[in-house]
Amino acid sequence: MLKVKEAVKEFNGFRAVNRCSIDVPANKITGLIGPNGAGKTTLFNLISGGLTLDTGEVWFNQERIDQLPAHKIVHKGLYRTFQIPRALEKMTTIENLMLVPANQLGEKIWNSWFRNKQVKAEEQKIKARAEEVLGFLELTHVKYELAGNLSVGQKKLLELGRALMSDPDMILLDEPAAGVNPTLMKKIAENIRKLQQQGKTFLLIEHNMDLIMDICDKVIVMNNGEHLIEGTPQEVRNNKEVLEAYLGVEEGHNDIAG
């Protein structure tokens, strides 16, 4: 579903991503791991349109997207979340979700005057969808709570909810478990699995190796801006090159999740 070909990105002479190529299969959960500074977030920004490639290509659903702005990439069905949730904190949880769908009739003021019935009907449809998403994420009890008052874990779930409101084919998750307590982390993992079973594709950056090993079908390892290896979680867990050269685990300790 997603192909990155020979991606290169430099910042003031420092090559953050160095001829990196990855393939992400459809309807699977793929993990992207690496130490701080490996280039993972930069690669996410290149894929989602937050940064422009120096050289290389990004293809999504057999269409080249690296020359498109971020909002057009979202409309192609590729949605990206952030490590630090970007909720509108002075709006309620349900309002955050209802803002997501693009090109709403109510965005044009004259429609409120001349197409009032259609505007209200669309708004009710969007609200119903938002309530459905909140129910799926088990956030119904905070739907009228200001987003700024939510816990870190609830904000991460709200980020996932905002992604679902755009009905994407693929979701890029940037550290969904960071700062989240174990109970909510389990809930996030369960939701990702359910969505994958419903046909969604995921690529996630994550430092929590237990989560990576638990939910991922495939794991891609980056180091120094480059694609190092890829394989099943078990193959990556036991790879000597990953253990010694990349994760810095001493020989004999072959459990990267521990």
Side-chain angles (χ1 to χ4, degrees), residues 85-90 96 147-148 155 158-159 162:
R86 297 188 173 187
L88 297 170
E89 298 197 343
K90 294 186 178 181
N96 267 266
K155 288 178 180 178
L158 179 57
E159 276 275 286
R162 284 161 59 91

Side-chain angles (χ1 to χ4, degrees), residues 7-33:
V8 172
K9 185 63 182 179
E10 292 187 356
F11 299 100
N12 298 321
F14 171 73
R15 185 163 288 197
V17 175
N18 183 28
R19 299 184 65 186
C20 183
S21 298
I22 66 170
D23 291 319
V24 179
N27 307 128
K28 300 291 184 182
I29 303 171
T30 301
L32 180 63
I33 67 172

Side-chain angles (χ1 to χ4, degrees), residues 32-97:
L32 180 63
I33 67 172
N36 291 330
K40 307 181 300 297
T41 297
T42 301
L43 185 63
F44 256 34
N45 288 333
L46 293 170
I47 293 169
S48 61
L51 291 172
T52 303
L53 285 163
D54 293 337
T55 61
E57 299 176 0
V58 178
W59 291 75
F60 178 65
N61 279 335
Q62 301 182 338
E63 180 180 358
R64 188 171 176 181
I65 63 169
D66 55 88
Q67 297 172 333
L68 298 177
H71 70 278
K72 289 191 176 181
I73 292 175
V74 171
H75 295 161
K76 297 291 183 182
L78 180 61
Y79 193 101
R80 183 258 173 92
T81 69
F82 294 85
Q83 179 182 353
I84 300 174
R86 297 188 173 187
L88 297 170
E89 298 197 343
K90 294 186 178 181
M91 300 187 75
T92 65
T93 302
I94 194 167
E95 287 170 342
N96 267 266
L97 297 186

Side-chain angles (χ1 to χ4, degrees), residues 26-254:
N27 307 128
K28 300 291 184 182
I29 303 171
T30 301
L32 180 63
I33 67 172
N36 291 330
K40 307 181 300 297
T41 297
T42 301
L43 185 63
F44 256 34
N45 288 333
L46 293 170
I47 293 169
S48 61
L51 291 172
T52 303
L53 285 163
D54 293 337
T55 61
E57 299 176 0
V58 178
W59 291 75
F60 178 65
N61 279 335
Q62 301 182 338
E63 180 180 358
R64 188 171 176 181
I65 63 169
D66 55 88
Q67 297 172 333
L68 298 177
H71 70 278
K72 289 191 176 181
I73 292 175
V74 171
H75 295 161
K76 297 291 183 182
L78 180 61
Y79 193 101
R80 183 258 173 92
T81 69
F82 294 85
Q83 179 182 353
I84 300 174
R86 297 188 173 187
L88 297 170
E89 298 197 343
K90 294 186 178 181
M91 300 187 75
T92 65
T93 302
I94 194 167
E95 287 170 342
N96 267 266
L97 297 186
M98 291 180 66
L99 279 175
V100 173
N103 302 316
Q104 296 184 39
L105 291 174
E107 293 174 5
K108 296 179 179 178
I109 192 168
W110 53 84
N111 283 334
S112 299
W113 300 332
F114 302 114
R115 303 178 65 186
N116 188 45
K117 288 184 179 180
Q118 293 95 321
V119 169
K120 287 185 176 180
E122 182 185 60
E123 185 175 317
Q124 287 303 311
K125 183 177 179 180
I126 291 171
K127 184 178 181 182
R129 172 59 180 159
E131 290 179 336
E132 180 184 337
V133 169
L134 289 172
F136 175 78
L137 298 173
E138 298 181 30
L139 289 176
T140 302
H141 61 293
V142 293
K143 69 178 179 180
Y144 296 125
E145 185 68 59
L146 293 180
N149 295 336
L150 301 181
S151 70
V152 172
Q154 289 171 332
K155 288 178 180 178
K156 290 290 180 80
L157 286 169
L158 179 57
E159 276 275 286
L160 183 56
R162 284 161 59 91
L164 296 180
M165 288 297 293
S166 72
D167 194 25
D169 297 321
M170 181 175 178
I171 302 174
L172 308 179
L173 295 175
D174 194 347
E175 297 200 40
V180 176
N181 69 53
T183 300
L184 280 178
M185 187 179 79
K186 182 179 179 182
K187 186 181 294 185
I188 290 170
E190 289 172 352
N191 286 330
I192 293 171
R193 285 197 204 94
K194 288 178 185 176
L195 291 166
Q196 183 262 330
Q197 292 166 2
Q198 294 171 14
K200 300 296 183 187
T201 301
F202 289 89
L203 175 63
L204 64 144
I205 294 173
E206 186 52 66
H207 287 288
N208 187 310
M209 297 309 301
D210 290 331
L211 180 63
I212 288 287
M213 296 297 153
D214 182 37
I215 69 172
C216 290
D217 303 294
K218 171 182 175 179
V219 179
I220 300 169
V221 185
M222 284 186 71
N223 192 27
N224 296 323
E226 300 176 352
H227 175 288
L228 184 61
I229 69 158
E230 63 181 64
T232 65
Q234 193 62 37
E235 288 169 343
V236 169
R237 179 195 294 266
N238 295 318
N239 184 276
K240 184 176 181 180
E241 186 178 10
V242 173
L243 294 172
E244 296 180 358
Y246 169 57
L247 292 177
V249 179
E250 294 180 5
E251 191 171 352
H253 296 273
N254 63 351

